Amino acid sequence: MKASSFGYARPESLAEALELLARHGERAKLLAGGQSLIPSLNLRLSSPALLIDLGNLSELEGIALQGKDLRIGALTRHRAIERSPVVAAHAPLLAQAAPHIAHVAIRNRGTFGGSLAMSDPAAEWPACCLALGASIVVASARGERRVQAERFFKALYATDLAPDEILVAAEIPAAAADSRSVFLELARRRGDYAIVGVAAQARRSKGRLQDVRLAFLGVAAVPLLARRAMAALEGGPCDAAAIAAAERALGDELEPMADLYHSAATKLHLARVLAGRALAALAA
Amino acid sequence: MEEFFETTITVNGTPVTRRVAARTHLVDFLREELGLTGSHTACEHGVCGACTLRVDGQILRGCLMLAVQANGRKVDTIEGLSDAGEIRDLQAAFHERNALQCGFCTPGVLMTAQELLRDRPEATRDEIREFMSGNLCRCTGYQAIIDSIEAVLIARRRTGRL
Ligand SMILES: Cc1cc2nc3c(=O)[nH]c(=O)nc-3n(C[C@H](O)[C@H](O)[C@H](O)COP(=O)(O)OP(=O)(O)OC[C@H]3O[C@@H](n4cnc5c(N)ncnc54)[C@H](O)[C@@H]3O)c2cc1C
Ligand code: FES
Ligand code: FES
């Protein structure tokens, strides 16, 4: 199907984009990689009066280590993250997750910021940001602010972004030397959105886990930190008993939504299986 | 009222300038405005890969990019790759191994395969499968496609083309 007609603007700076957005409000839509927005226009699920194309805002693109944080610009493509040696060194979880996003042709276009703004419950980047304790940087004509990932993803496809705000970057604490990470997901076919997935990171020293972070995708309207399972592991050895306790704890905190193919019980089972595998990998 | 935007795109090496509606997809612009019908459209929401194009050296979905977004960029289509002889060996391998039947998916498959050959010369068979997973084929069952790509990969490695 084809999209209905709309206006189009291609600002040359963030300031100009913010001004356009402030002027046109909810009648306008930001266009980043277009890999979620254009399908929804094609299917006529969305019909904005104006598209504001962020494509020329090179100031929003790039990966840089700034002090103790890795800053990833909103317009950075999935594929650039997948291939970045800086990401592999300082946020390996992202490098592990990237190949699970769609297919190469889509990863060449889709952006980090677009995925966070879209906030699909089964998307990889939101869960990774949650696991990594990222801070999301957003700008508007009123100025810039930072929101912790834990408060950014609010409800199904809804974030903390106000209608006049643009997501400009995420700042991710660089991984410690003793940090390990694992990203696992189950999908029906390669490249599909996940049925269930887990983004896990922890520091491991002398056989014990610290700062354990387990974030799940596909189990709720938003990505979820499994706090009870995290608590069951914190400070202890990651042995079979601890892993079993963490898997049990998931039953108390995850209330997965059934989808077309999987019941809530199936999803909980799959989340436990993935958690077990992820923790075994962290411990190995 | 539909608005039109002056757009200049270098298509297969030749710059073209047209006034296009914002909603026109790049693949439709190429097919309908320029008559380059080698790139196909099927699902029009990013799932099948029939519309695969190369923009500034990287493959993408032609149905998920607007023609106006390609302003100032270089677009290569299957016609361009074919005329330049860039994929002659790949085309020959597909022919030899019967890696196409109806041929609808083939232009997109070849575009993706060429990116794999340039990008991942060390790819294993499993990695070829993974890389090609975004291109659907309803006829061949994929084995012959993967065989052909693997054969070309090995041949290009041997002849130092990679
Ligand atoms: C076949 C297919 C399979 C896919 N599979 C996956 C998958 O497995 N996992 C996954 O995570 N994604 C998947 N995607 C989606 C893809 O990752 C998108 O790239 C991503 O969801 C959105 O990023 P984008 O840059 O393309 O954003 P766009 O499509 O341009 O925009 C998406 C939304 O975010 C808003 N937006 C974009 N950028 C900003 C910004 N900087 N500030 C504020 N708002 C903004 C837009 O207005 C729009 O509402 C798939 C897409 C396709 C077509
Ligand atoms: S027509 Fe573009 S992916 Fe199917
Ligand atoms: S050859 Fe017919 S779809 Fe692939």
Side-chain angles (χ1 to χ4, degrees):
Chain A
M1 218 161 105
K2 312 290 183 195
S4 52
S5 68
F6 42 75
Y8 175 77
R10 190 167 40 218
E12 295 296 331
S13 69
L14 177 61
E16 194 190 331
L18 289 170
E19 198 247 315
L20 277 166
L21 191 57
R23 182 140 41 91
H24 295 276
E26 309 216 21
R27 293 172 48 251
K29 269 262 176 212
L30 299 171
L31 174 63
Q35 305 301 289
S36 294
L37 181 55
I38 297 182
S40 87
L41 297 173
N42 292 0
L43 298 166
R44 302 208 175 188
L45 299 172
S46 164
S47 49
L50 176 70
L51 287 193
I52 302 174
D53 183 357
L54 304 179
N56 279 1
L57 304 188
S58 48
E59 60 195 289
L60 297 191
E61 195 163 351
I63 300 167
L65 195 62
Q66 294 187 344
K68 289 184 173 155
D69 284 340
L70 187 68
R71 184 179 162 108
I72 302 184
L75 277 188
T76 309
R77 314 275 170 191
H78 304 327
R79 190 95 172 122
I81 296 172
E82 181 178 1
R83 304 177 68 159
S84 160
V86 180
V87 169
H90 300 288
L93 181 67
L94 299 180
Q96 292 161 338
H100 293 279
I101 305 174
H103 309 283
V104 175
I106 292 168
R107 294 201 292 276
N108 278 338
R109 287 295 290 163
T111 69
F112 192 61
S115 171
L116 298 179
M118 187 72 200
S119 181
D120 191 291
E124 288 78 4
W125 293 146
C128 288
C129 280
L130 201 59
L132 296 175
S135 159
I136 315 289
V137 187
V138 304
S140 70
R142 297 168 283 136
E144 198 176 85
R145 67 188 180 101
R146 283 172 170 68
V147 191
Q148 283 305 306
E150 286 173 45
R151 286 198 304 276
F152 184 76
F153 305 105
K154 292 217 131 148
L156 194 63
Y157 299 110
T159 67
D160 195 49
L161 279 170
D164 65 341
E165 284 179 322
I166 295 180
L167 197 161
V168 295
E171 291 169 348
I172 295 164
D178 56 357
S179 157
R180 301 173 154 237
S181 63
V182 185
F183 187 95
L184 296 174
E185 77 172 45
L186 297 166
R188 285 170 66 83
R189 291 165 302 204
R190 180 150 275 288
D192 280 9
Y193 276 104
I195 302 164
V196 176
V198 65
Q201 178 167 278
R203 288 173 44 222
R204 204 190 70 167
S205 61
K206 303 193 189 83
R208 290 176 183 275
L209 295 184
Q210 272 180 323
D211 298 339
V212 185
R213 306 279 289 185
L214 276 183
F216 284 87
L217 50 147
V219 296
V222 290
L224 221 62
L225 269 185
R227 293 180 190 283
R228 294 188 190 196
M230 281 157 44
L233 296 156
E234 187 66 36
C238 193
D239 54 17
I243 294 176
E247 286 177 26
R248 265 196 313 280
L250 290 178
D252 300 327
E253 57 189 341
L254 300 187
E255 291 175 18
M257 299 184 297
D259 62 24
L260 274 179
Y261 308 103
H262 310 90
S263 66
T266 302
K267 281 200 164 192
L268 178 59
H269 170 73
L270 296 177
R272 283 182 161 142
V273 170
L274 283 186
R277 288 181 192 166
L279 294 170
L282 283 184
Chain B
M1 242 262 300
E2 187 94 60
E3 258 190 282
F4 291 81
F5 300 84
E6 183 162 302
T7 301
T8 299
I9 307 174
T10 301
V11 181
N12 298 327
T14 308
V16 294
T17 301
R18 294 283 194 287
R19 295 183 64 75
V20 292
R23 66 164 148 169
T24 303
H25 298 125
L26 181 56
V27 66
D28 291 332
F29 172 78
L30 296 166
R31 288 177 56 84
E32 287 161 24
E33 189 71 34
L34 304 184
L36 293 170
T37 53
S39 322
H40 296 157
T41 59
C43 72
E44 300 190 312
H45 62 274
V47 178
C48 73
C51 61
T52 307
L53 299 168
R54 199 162 74 189
V55 177
D56 287 346
Q58 290 190 310
I59 53 162
L60 50 72
R61 302 295 207 217
C63 70
L64 297 187
M65 183 172 193
L66 304 173
V68 286
Q69 288 180 286
N71 185 48
R73 301 187 187 278
K74 288 197 193 69
V75 176
D76 297 311
T77 69
I78 189 66
E79 288 89 346
L81 267 65
S82 187
D83 290 350
E86 190 183 327
I87 51 169
R88 194 169 294 137
D89 52 351
L90 203 52
Q91 288 165 313
F94 270 55
H95 190 180
E96 247 160 60
R97 288 164 199 265
N98 239 355
L100 64 154
Q101 289 176 29
C102 78
F104 191 85
C105 69
T106 313
V109 167
L110 291 171
M111 298 292 294
T112 304
Q114 175 62 0
E115 173 136 323
L116 164 74
L117 290 165
R118 294 200 319 183
D119 227 53
R120 302 285 305 279
E122 77 301 343
T124 62
R125 190 175 170 92
D126 278 349
E127 288 165 349
I128 297 174
R129 284 190 162 283
E130 185 181 321
F131 202 98
M132 298 305 301
S133 67
N135 287 77
L136 301 187
C137 175
R138 304 266 85 167
C139 302
T140 64
Y142 301 103
Q143 297 302 333
I145 293 179
I146 306 297
D147 289 346
S148 308
I149 297 170
E150 194 179 27
V152 173
L153 195 83
I154 291 167
R156 285 199 195 176
R157 246 188 243 144
R158 204 176 41 229
T159 57
R161 254 193 84 187
L162 287 178

